[in-house]
């Protein structure tokens, strides 16, 4: 002990101790008289030794000596003297607080000795402690800048908002292989280096001697619940490097990136590498937030101390990090389109031509799903919804596959899933699935602010039955639960069950606008249509024909004379008005934010539910300022369709370009229109979901 | 229209309209030219009529007349003139806002007419609207004072805290019948008037004419998800009164309190009673908050309007109220005891005598569970946990039955469940259940404040495996999920799997204290025990015997010479120290808040897990200041047990009275002690859980 220099620190006022209790992890440690113990000290913690409880009986004084690297403080009701190397009065609850300032270079390279006295000279006994200081930090990108910083003080919690913190995890739901498709979460190993980009880096930073004292171990562990939702790989350490020949063999990546934790292994020893070192882990999200999962996950790293031959090790230090799994985010019509998807069928050549022209005009490429894949199912809108997932380190589109599962059912998995294109679905029994589960019944608004609450990613809109209705149809619960659990685009449930098909896109759409809130809500309106038709009649065009030249041809006078038809449209208008009032409230819209497009409906007798009478113009394809609107085939005045003229007069002042697309035979007569028959992959929001204030 | 007086209100600045949009429900309404419509107006809402969209073409002016009860305002970009009865310029988007100030006495007793002009004299057409004003309010006790106030503006949301709001629902988990037992939630009808006290009152207040206009209906409705968690009854209306003879027959209560909504019926028409009237509903909670249920429920009341022959009615007004299901709350040792429960077995006469004396001293009554019921299972602590549920209108104790299900398994249901004594359990498969599911492993701390966060109901404490351990045992997931979901006593998971039995009550307890935080944490401490034994040896009592006179008798010297035994106790101390440090952090305790009681353990070879060497004094029964402590049978000095003396010296200064109870043969040797063999029903907290700031 000759080389040891004493460290002297006086009595500390109690307040400060109390404060430190909550800031710093204090480990209770016990000395043994006439015995040499050893322990590992973790930088940033304190060892708290109650001297009174280990002192020989009759002890009245004590003294302390320690290596220069060791800091000693005394907390006691008795005033400490100037030098701890001189005998100090031993009081009840005299506590020694030990800390160290730098990592050890060798195991056991620091020492602490405490001597107990009966009086100031008679020694009753002494206790010796060998100390090894290590620095341990399990690190993540808690400040969300794409870089794993060191020991962020907020790494173990998660807070929303621009001033928030907490790391982010993606569900690894794309397929690294474009050919042998499989959602990557199904693969229990890392198959390609590119797969690592979809995972979140986590770094174990350690500093200390080349080896830990014998029997000490580092263990990474997760709870049973979290283990269902996460998988952790690590990079191979240099010590475990294998020959390059071996690396070229099958199983390369399994060896290069061994699986550390999953639901079969909740805890695993991880190597301590010695010196100043970093061990990189790759954390893979397996499940999206859902009804029973708030999206938060905790990962723990513990230092285990050997207690004695035959006993389990006990943890002496635990570091924790938290992740939130990124939600699935939908993209409204106001976001920039990237790709347009439609089905090619035997009978939709005219429609395809119209769409192709519109898509070309918008500077985009049309992606056709051919008949061998669509098997005649043309409802591209209904089988899937495009969205994306985002993190500071990676972002890619993710298709939500509807439980509808028509003949297009395989398209999302077989044609869309691929490298950096994710896939997610929810399973429901055939019995539970109704027409309301098609994703023409799943839309999202542009960003809005409602009663001071910001929705910078807009709000999801779905259609359900009004609960007072007997035998109402609903969107299936598993999908609704999924949508609500994403949290960042709080859904609104509209009433769409009054429609035979039952989709919200049959009566509403959003288009971009240069003024006000940046968009307009378009609503189908029988009332607006009646105004157009009555004006036509008053102006002397009562003889003009709806559907001119078609078998369905009918005059304006005939339409206006049909009292039953008028009653049906009054009913439809009342249903739309209920939704109109709800949307105004939930999206904080003014009258000026809404445009009523003239659309008539008819009520199908058996079902007592409505379908569009002529092509439903609100069911449009929105590509920036270019709109693909179902051609209504309305009455003509001076060779121009009055319905088209009316719609142009409503939309063109907003800088919108209206293309009317003939979908009459191939879509309208099958109870869908342009929007139902198309889908658009859009750019993600510039706004980052983690900056939401939730 | 002669009797009608016009109401004149000038142009309103736009800002005010915008504000009202968010405050008041605005219903879009449409007039029809040359047609008389009728509608029901709900007080507190506005009808919003776009005049331009219903005006005959070429209309340039309009005028409005209305009954005195009707308020008309114009929102228009064009300045309104002084009297609406004079022709006003009709602009694009000229909107009429209609409101009414009092309920109608007769159906259709108010009228509104709008006339449209080509110029100021040539009339193009007019539209007439008959109005019936009703007042509708679905009310709950949203201010939590035990009384259902009228139309609380916050009734549709829920906020924690003394300044919070939102109604409260109890799970009706007691049994109105003491003899034919059944948890009341299992009963789909109201069997006794007393059962209504366990439900929350909800009142539908209406005011209006004696009948609604033909075809209008009131409908109460809930979502499918909520319907699993709630049942709604209503009181019989006076019109439905039946003869007193009939009432005396079977089914009286089913008729008196008909079931309105449950999972089989999500929507139901409720009677409109006419005049100024109240219809009382009784809302029954069916499920506690849990992993998939945050405790919140929404109940809706809609007014349905007939649209026309053959069409479904459409909702024109919806009122909503929200409830939160009260959580299950545990009671710490610091709360006043009410009743003490123990088992009577063939071999525990001495123990029962000791307990009886202590219970009598505390002024309480002892409740014995006899052998016909306990079938030899004496672990009263392990089979159940007492707690309570609380609301502004009702409160009662609720026993949580452990999935342990030993021979005492039927006791909670058969003996405790009854009128105003609730029952709840969670089911787990036999395979999942371990010793850690016994409720000796479920405790709760007294109130604490941690880093500024208040826990006025304390924090739940459970024991689990340390996850780095292979083959660790855990408390079963369904119980853990239930405990976490209650939210008001945020749990702490300690490490108890190092014990053979594995319960937190084997190493910790709380006792009341007059100072500091109002309590002390007691921890079992081998270190403290060694200090006692070493001091004894130094003082020359090395020959004194542990377990004097018993077959197990062993001297102080022998104990201190056993190096293996010392290593075992060092290991145990390190396990307890891990928990000590965790408790200090999670409960913000100082050293001065903790008392170490001298207890030695031994490690059972096969299992490598610990059991108490002598009766585990921390495993005590706490009845106010009277403690029932396992008699340790320690070495004697001057005829006094040194262990008892030591414990008295630690606890008596706090005003605590120590009774040492002999549980050696009947409990200690079976691996349990006094606490394991008893249970205490305590008074609820004075603090109301809904006043928590969460």
């Amino acid at each position: 002990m000759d080389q040891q220099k004493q460290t002297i620190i006086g009595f500390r006022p109690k307040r400060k101790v109390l404060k430190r209790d909550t800031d710093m992890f204090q480990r209770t440690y016990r000395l043994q008289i006439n015995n040499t113990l050893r322990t590992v000290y973790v930088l940033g913690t304190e060892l708290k030794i109650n001297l009174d409880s280990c002192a020989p009986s009759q002890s009245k004084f004590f003294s302390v000596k320690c290596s220069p690297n060791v800091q000693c403080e005394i907390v006691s009701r008795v005033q400490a003297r100037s030098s701890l190397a001189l005998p100090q009065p031993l009081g009840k609850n005299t506590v020694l607080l030990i800390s160290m300032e730098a990592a050890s270079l060798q195991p056991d390279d620091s020492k602490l000795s405490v001597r107990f006295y009966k009086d100031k000279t008679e020694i009753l006994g002494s206790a010796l402690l060998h100390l090894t200081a290590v620095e341990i930090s399990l690190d993540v990108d808690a400040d969300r800048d794409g870089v794993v910083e060191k020991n962020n003080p907020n790494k173990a919690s998660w807070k929303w908002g621009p001033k928030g913190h907490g790391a982010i995890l993606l569900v690894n739901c794309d397929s690294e292989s474009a050919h042998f498709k499989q959602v990557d979460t199904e693969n229990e190993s890392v198959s390609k280096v590119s797969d690592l980009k979809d995972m979140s880096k986590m770094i174990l930073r350690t500093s200390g001697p080349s080896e830990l004292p014998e029997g000490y171990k580092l263990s990474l562990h997760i709870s049973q619940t979290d283990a269902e939702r996460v998988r952790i790989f690590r990079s191979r350490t240099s010590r475990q490097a294998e020959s390059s020949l071996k690396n070229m063999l099958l199983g390369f990546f399994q060896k290069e990136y061994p699986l550390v934790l999953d639901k079969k292994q909740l805890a695993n020893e991880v190597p301590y590498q010695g010196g100043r070192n970093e061990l990189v882990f790759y954390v893979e999200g397996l499940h999206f937030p859902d009804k029973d999962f708030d999206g938060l996950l905790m990962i723990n790293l513990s230092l285990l101390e050997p207690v004695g031959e035959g006993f389990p090790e006990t943890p002496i230090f635990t570091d924790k990090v938290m992740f939130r799994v990124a939600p699935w985010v939908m993209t409204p019509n106001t976001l920039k389109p990237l790709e347009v998807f439609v089905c090619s069928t035997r009978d939709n050549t005219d429609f395809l031509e119209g769409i192709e022209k519109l898509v070309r005009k918008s500077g985009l490429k049309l992606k056709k799903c051919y008949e061998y894949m669509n098997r005649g199912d043309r409802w591209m809108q209904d089988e899937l919804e495009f969205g994306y997932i985002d993190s500071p380190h990676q972002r890619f589109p993710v298709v939500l596959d509807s439980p509808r599962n028509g003949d297009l059912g395989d398209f999302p998995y077989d044609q869309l899933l691929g490298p950096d294109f994710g896939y997610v679905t929810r399973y429901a029994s055939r019995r539970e699935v109704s027409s309301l589960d098609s994703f023409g019944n799943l839309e999202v608004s542009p960003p809005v602010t409602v009663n001071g609450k910001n929705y910078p990613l807009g709000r999801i809109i779905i259609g359900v039955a009004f609960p007072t209705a007997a035998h109402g149809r609903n969107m299936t619960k598993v999908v609704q639960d999924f949508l609500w659990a994403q949290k960042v685009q709080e859904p609104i449930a509209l009433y769409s069950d009054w429609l035979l098909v039952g989709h919200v896109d049959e009566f509403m759409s959003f288009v971009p606008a240069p003024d006000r809130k940046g968009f307009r809500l378009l609503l189908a309106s029988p009332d607006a249509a009646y105004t157009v038709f009555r004006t036509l009649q008053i102006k002397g065009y009562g003889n003009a024909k709806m559907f001119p030249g078609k078998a369905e041809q009918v005059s304006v006078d005939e339409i206006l004379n049909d009292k039953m038809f008028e009653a049906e449209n009054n009913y439809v208008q009342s249903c739309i008005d209920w939704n109109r009032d709800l949307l105004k409230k939930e999206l904080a819209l003014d009258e000026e934010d809404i445009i009523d497009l003239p659309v008539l409906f008819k009520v199908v007798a058996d079902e007592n539910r409505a379908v569009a009478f002529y092509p439903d113009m609100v069911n449009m394809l929105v590509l920036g300022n270019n709109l693909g609107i179902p051609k209504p085939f309305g009455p003509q005045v001076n060779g121009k369709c009055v319905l088209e003229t009316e719609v142009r007069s409503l939309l063109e002042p907003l800088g919108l370009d209206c293309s009317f697309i003939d979908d009459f035979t191939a879509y309208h007569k099958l109870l869908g229109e342009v929007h139902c028959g198309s889908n658009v992959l859009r750019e993600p929001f510039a706004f980052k979901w983690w900056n939401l204030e939730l």
Side-chain angles (χ1 to χ4, degrees), chain A:
Chain A
M1 300 271 283
D2 297 346
Q3 316 96 308
Q4 289 178 24
K5 232 179 80 186
Q6 73 269 10
T7 304
I8 308 156
I9 298 175
F11 178 75
R12 256 188 340 184
K14 192 108 173 294
R15 275 307 277 284
K16 204 175 158 202
V17 178
L18 281 176
K19 190 175 168 332
R20 277 178 82 164
D21 269 345
T22 65
D23 288 339
M24 191 175 271
F25 180 72
Q26 285 189 333
R27 179 181 162 210
T28 297
Y29 194 78
R30 295 168 195 273
L31 297 175
Q32 288 176 14
I33 291 304
N34 303 330
N35 204 349
T36 300
L37 298 179
R38 107 187 323 180
T39 196
V40 169
Y41 164 86
V42 180
L43 292 185
T45 69
E46 281 180 330
L47 294 184
K48 190 166 190 173
I49 300 171
N50 187 322
L51 289 182
D52 183 52
S53 80
C54 73
S57 70
Q58 301 184 290
S59 297
K60 295 261 162 37
F61 295 90
F62 71 97
S63 65
V64 182
K65 286 187 181 177
C66 52
S67 310
N69 186 25
V70 179
Q71 318 288 317
C72 273
E73 300 182 41
I74 290 179
V75 188
S76 167
R77 291 216 177 81
V78 182
Q79 181 70 51
R81 311 234 168 145
S82 55
S83 164
L84 293 186
L86 300 176
Q88 308 284 325
L90 178 67
K92 186 106 184 125
N93 290 325
T94 295
V95 167
L96 207 56
L97 289 179
I98 310 293
S99 59
M100 294 169 75
E101 294 211 324
S104 295
L105 299 175
Q106 300 296 329
D108 304 332
D109 67 0
S110 296
K111 293 179 180 61
L112 171 90
S113 75
V114 181
R115 196 170 272 181
F116 294 93
Y117 309 83
K118 189 169 181 179
D119 53 42
K120 290 193 188 172
T121 49
E122 189 187 337
I123 296 170
L124 292 173
S126 60
L128 186 61
L129 176 61
H130 289 197
L131 287 158
T132 307
V134 294
E135 196 176 354
I136 299 176
S137 178
L138 187 63
D139 289 330
V140 290
D141 178 17
D143 61 3
R144 305 165 181 167
D145 64 355
V147 178
V148 177
E149 67 273 13
K150 189 168 174 186
N151 215 3
N152 187 311
N154 295 316
K155 66 187 182 180
S157 63
W158 215 96
K159 195 177 157 203
W160 293 93
K163 288 177 185 164
H165 59 260
I168 290 161
L169 199 60
L170 297 179
V171 178
N172 191 5
C173 61
D174 66 338
S175 169
E176 285 315 307
S177 167
H179 305 293
F180 304 102
K181 281 199 183 174
Q182 182 184 38
V183 176
D184 289 340
T185 55
E186 300 291 314
N187 188 345
E188 293 184 10
S189 61
V190 178
S191 56
K192 287 190 175 183
V193 176
S194 59
D195 201 20
L196 300 174
K197 286 192 300 179
D198 305 335
M199 306 185 193
S200 295
K201 259 194 193 176
M202 177 172 77
I203 300 179
L204 171 59
R205 292 188 167 101
T206 52
S207 183
S210 60
E211 308 267 357
L212 288 175
E214 204 189 326
Y216 287 83
K217 283 178 196 168
L218 291 171
S219 172
L220 199 69
H221 51 99
I222 47 179
S223 75
Q224 204 174 352
T225 305
D226 286 355
E228 302 281 331
R229 295 147 181 174
V230 74
R231 204 179 276 139
I232 303 178
F233 301 92
R234 68 167 168 85
S235 58
R236 198 177 45 157
T237 60
S238 50
R239 293 183 193 185
Q240 295 164 308
E242 289 168 56
S243 76
S244 59
L245 181 68
K246 251 185 169 174
N247 285 349
M248 290 171 70
L249 298 173
L250 198 73
F252 169 77
F253 288 105
Q254 286 88 318
K255 281 170 188 151
E256 199 73 1
Y257 300 100
L259 178 63
V260 181
L261 295 186
D262 69 353
K263 65 183 174 193
K264 287 176 240 152
Q265 177 123 30
L266 306 184
N268 206 337
E269 187 180 347
V270 293
Y272 169 82
Q273 299 185 100
R276 180 166 294 279
N277 224 315
E278 296 192 348
L279 183 60
V280 179
F281 295 89
Y282 297 93
V283 185
E284 180 182 39
L286 303 181
H287 288 289
F288 280 93
D290 212 328
K291 193 188 171 187
D292 58 356
F293 175 37
D294 64 3
L296 294 173
L297 296 164
M298 190 78 96
I299 298 170
N300 314 279
L301 179 99
S302 289
L303 175 63
L304 304 182
E305 180 168 76
V307 178
E309 191 86 30
F311 299 116
E313 300 97 351
T314 54
I316 58 170
F317 171 80
T318 297
D319 206 15
K320 291 165 190 279
V321 293
M322 186 177 268
F323 284 98
R324 181 184 288 278
V325 174
W328 179 76
V329 182
M330 282 177 62
T331 54
N333 281 354
T334 44
L335 287 175
K336 196 182 160 199
L338 295 174
E339 287 178 350
V340 178
F341 292 78
V342 287
C343 288
S344 162
T345 62
R346 265 163 235 192
D347 56 357
N348 77 343
T349 326
D350 290 356
F351 173 81
L352 278 186
E353 254 172 43
I355 295 284
E356 208 143 17
K357 209 168 137 193
L358 178 76
V359 168
R360 220 178 303 124
K361 188 197 280 183
S362 309
L364 302 170
K365 240 187 89 179
L366 185 63
K367 296 245 179 167
K368 286 185 205 162
C369 169
Y370 291 98
E371 190 125 20
Y372 75 91
M373 171 56 63
N374 70 47
R375 294 172 286 192
D377 183 353
R378 67 200 66 203
W379 308 114
M380 184 55 86
Q381 181 67 220
D382 290 339
E383 190 54 50
L384 61 100
E385 189 73 35
F386 288 115
Y388 68 92
I389 57 177
D390 195 6
S391 73
H393 57 280
Q394 172 71 312
R395 178 176 84 182
F396 53 74
V398 176
V399 60
L400 175 64
D401 188 0
S402 162
R404 164 188 187 259
N405 292 338
D407 286 328
L408 255 175
D410 294 339
F411 176 73
Y413 194 95
D414 288 352
Q415 300 292 313
L416 297 174
L417 171 63
D420 291 346
F421 206 120
Y423 174 94
V424 61
T425 191
R426 283 293 175 271
Y427 300 97
S429 71
R430 268 262 156 254
R431 198 175 44 78
E432 291 170 288
V433 173
S434 75
S435 174
L436 274 66
D437 287 306
S438 292
F439 287 165
N441 197 30
L442 170 61
E443 299 297 320
V444 63
S445 83
V448 288
T449 299
V450 185
N451 290 336
K453 186 170 175 189
N454 291 319
Y455 296 93
L457 305 176
R459 296 188 68 177
I460 287 173
I461 294 169
I462 64 164
V464 300
F466 198 81
T468 56
H471 317 297
R473 298 167 301 172
N474 260 302
M475 183 174 276
T476 189
K477 201 165 163 327
V478 287
V479 174
Q480 287 202 46
D481 286 344
F482 174 82
L483 295 175
W484 257 266
Q486 305 313 306
K487 280 190 190 152
V488 296
Q489 299 178 303
E490 192 190 334
I492 304 165
L494 297 182
Y495 169 35
S496 69
D497 189 34
W498 57 274
L499 287 151
L500 183 63
V501 174
H503 299 175
V504 293
D505 72 347
E506 296 178 79
F507 63 86
M508 59 164 289
S509 185
F510 294 97
V511 290
D515 58 351
R516 298 186 58 83
K517 303 182 171 77
F519 68 88
R520 292 290 187 282
L521 167 63
L522 308 184
L523 288 176
S525 171
D527 204 51
Y530 267 94
T531 302
V532 169
F533 281 72
R534 283 200 194 100
T535 307
L536 213 54
Q537 192 180 47
I538 287 165
K539 286 184 177 165
Y541 296 101
N543 243 336
K545 300 284 188 294
M546 183 79 226
F547 309 123
K550 292 193 185 285
E552 296 83 355
Q553 178 170 296
V554 55
S555 77
V556 170
D557 287 341
E558 285 170 310
I559 288 173
L560 291 177
N561 288 337
D562 186 339
K563 289 299 154 196
M564 185 58 206
F565 188 64
E566 189 179 353
E568 290 172 12
N569 275 288
N570 281 339
Y571 164 65
V572 166
Q573 187 65 61
S574 72
C575 294
I576 294 175
D577 281 347
W578 172 258
N579 289 306
R580 177 194 184 90
D581 294 337
L582 193 63
L583 283 167
K584 281 177 70 176
K585 184 159 177 276
E586 297 293 340
L587 299 178
L589 302 183
D590 300 316
E591 278 298 311
E592 291 79 1
D593 297 315
I594 303 177
I595 295 174
D596 295 302
L597 297 191
V599 180
L600 290 174
F601 290 79
K602 58 187 178 192
V603 172
V604 178
D606 284 352
E607 291 270 351
N608 222 0
R609 287 187 169 111
V611 298
F613 174 58
Y614 53 77
D616 184 351
M617 292 184 286
V618 82
N619 194 275
M620 64 176 63
L621 175 58
V622 180
L623 302 176
N625 286 332
N626 294 318
L627 311 180
I629 305 173
K631 190 175 176 59
F633 295 96
Q636 298 202 339
V637 170
N638 301 329
K640 282 190 172 172
C641 167
V642 294
L643 292 170
E644 290 186 22
T645 305
E646 173 71 9
V647 167
R648 281 187 201 277
S649 77
L650 291 167
L651 299 179
E652 285 178 353
L654 297 171
L656 298 168
D657 185 286
C658 303
S659 301
F660 290 90
I661 293 173
D662 180 357
D663 71 354
F664 197 82
T665 316
Y667 291 82
H668 172 67
K669 292 187 113 181
L670 304 175
L671 307 181
E673 315 281 357
V674 174
H675 187 259
C676 307
S678 61
N679 219 321
V680 184
L681 178 69
R682 297 181 189 275
E683 265 195 1
F685 282 101
F687 184 91
K688 300 300 187 183
W689 62 264
W690 53 87
N691 285 330
L692 271 170
E693 306 267 13
L694 284 188

